[in-house]
Amino acid sequence: MAKVTSKLQVTVPKAVADRYGIRPGDEIRFEEAGEVIRVVPPSAPARPEPADVVTRLALFDAATERQRHREAATTFERAGSRGWTRDDLYERGGHLAD
């Protein structure tokens, strides 16, 4: 576990730095992520700015419309007779209980 110094500096553990390619002099980003802070290495692509509410609602509406079209194009047909009923299954398994 890393500690924060009196100058608010944090040392990245070597294993983490090696895994994510963090080298001395690299600039890392700290991003808010709800109740936690995300540390983003320099090799990670920049996250786009969140869209405004109107854009997000338009994207949601478009996705909802696509889903409605998919559901309308898909038809589900009941399978024909299986040759057995649910009760048959219980009757067949009855000898195992004895």
Side-chain angles (χ1 to χ4, degrees):
M1 178 171 291
K3 288 187 179 181
V4 179
T5 69
S6 61
K7 294 182 179 182
L8 299 178
Q9 296 173 337
V10 178
T11 300
V12 177
K14 183 168 179 8
V16 174
D18 289 344
R19 180 173 180 180
Y20 293 99
I22 300 171
R23 301 287 172 241
D26 284 349
E27 293 185 5
I28 57 176
R29 291 191 318 269
F30 291 89
E31 297 178 352
E32 294 181 29
E35 296 291 320
V36 299
I37 300 169
R38 179 178 293 139
V39 179
V40 183
S43 59
R47 287 177 58 185
E49 289 295 319
D52 61 15
V53 173
V54 173
T55 303
R56 289 172 43 204
L57 287 173
L59 291 170
F60 179 80
D61 290 341
T64 303
E65 191 61 30
R66 287 192 306 271
Q67 180 65 27
R68 286 188 183 131
H69 284 291
R70 281 192 297 270
E71 289 173 354
T74 305
T75 57
F76 294 100
E77 294 181 23
R78 286 210 170 258
S81 175
R82 294 176 280 209
W84 52 271
T85 65
R86 185 176 182 169
D87 290 335
D88 292 339
L89 294 177
Y90 288 112
E91 290 172 9
R92 278 193 274 174
H95 71 280
L96 296 176
D98 294 334

